Amino acid sequence: RKFPHPPGNKEANPITTEDEMIPLLLCAVFAQNENLADLEFLVGTWRGSGEFQGQKFSDEYVYEWAQNRNFLRWRYSMSMGGKAVWQDEGMMGWDAEKKRIVGFCFGMDGTIGRAECVESKKNRWAFEGTSTGPYKEFRMTMERTAEDEFSASCSAKDSPVHTIRYKKEGRKP
């Protein structure tokens, strides 16, 4: 039985036997990064709401595993009056050199943010970072408050702390 080329490499010889496939499958199974295991609970859709600058808003985070569970990808949207006023997406993963979780975020206006986890406990993570947007330096703290809830507190230099509680959508009983 003939198997296809390894992903992304059309020049490589195709795998021709199941014996050649086994090492690749083992690499895939063991390549998952255990340093993100405590964040597994985030996978799924989360909703929150609050008030910002006197206006009510709703938030949505969607988290999913990426690249063989070595990264956690998110999509975020803030809506006011049913209209998306901010969206971004990003990924976080383990930086083996710095020995900490790092994340990159890309905003709908071209903003790029980078953060590093400066505090990591079983149910609490604090990230500090920089951005090319209006909030040059920021801190975000995430805390798991229940099995299907977490809170996120964001602050920027010369800006008040903004905390939102999120509830997981579609949780099975």
Side-chain angles (χ1 to χ4, degrees):
R1 194 165 108 181
K2 194 170 187 173
F3 294 90
H5 295 279
N9 191 348
K10 298 291 184 197
E11 274 69 55
N13 290 327
I15 298 167
T16 57
T17 69
E18 290 176 332
D19 289 338
E20 291 175 303
M21 178 69 91
I22 290 171
L24 290 175
L25 293 173
L26 288 174
C27 286
V29 168
F30 293 112
Q32 300 168 7
N33 195 312
E34 292 302 315
N35 293 297
L36 300 177
D38 287 343
L39 295 170
E40 170 115 31
F41 80 96
L42 286 171
V43 173
T45 300
W46 298 82
R47 295 194 190 278
S49 60
E51 198 169 297
F52 183 71
Q53 298 176 347
Q55 293 188 350
K56 291 185 179 189
F57 68 89
S58 61
D59 271 3
E60 180 183 83
Y61 269 107
V62 178
Y63 286 92
E64 62 187 2
W65 287 112
Q67 303 299 333
N68 199 33
R69 297 174 62 102
N70 284 299
F71 298 94
L72 198 53
R73 175 185 298 133
W74 74 86
R75 289 184 313 278
Y76 169 77
S77 180
M78 173 193 253
S79 298
M80 290 182 177
K83 180 183 176 191
V85 295
W86 180 258
Q87 294 179 325
D88 63 50
E89 58 184 79
M91 288 183 122
M92 66 176 91
W94 181 253
D95 184 323
E97 287 182 7
K98 293 186 177 193
K99 302 205 181 323
R100 62 177 55 183
I101 298 169
V102 298
F104 292 89
C105 180
F106 306 95
M108 65 187 268
D109 65 349
T111 297
I112 299 172
R114 182 187 192 290
E116 294 184 6
C117 187
V118 295
E119 176 187 331
S120 179
K121 297 180 180 173
K122 182 75 175 161
N123 289 313
R124 181 182 164 92
W125 302 266
F127 293 85
E128 292 182 351
T130 58
S131 166
T132 60
Y135 302 111
K136 300 295 182 201
E137 296 176 18
F138 63 89
R139 180 179 175 94
M140 179 177 181
T141 304
M142 297 173 63
E143 186 167 359
R144 186 177 190 181
T145 54
E147 186 174 337
D148 62 348
E149 294 179 8
F150 80 91
S151 66
S153 298
C154 300
S155 62
K157 202 172 190 173
D158 303 324
S159 174
V161 174
H162 186 67
T163 302
I164 303 164
R165 297 184 72 81
Y166 294 91
K167 186 135 177 95
K168 195 165 198 175
E169 193 176 86
R171 186 175 173 270
K172 295 179 183 175

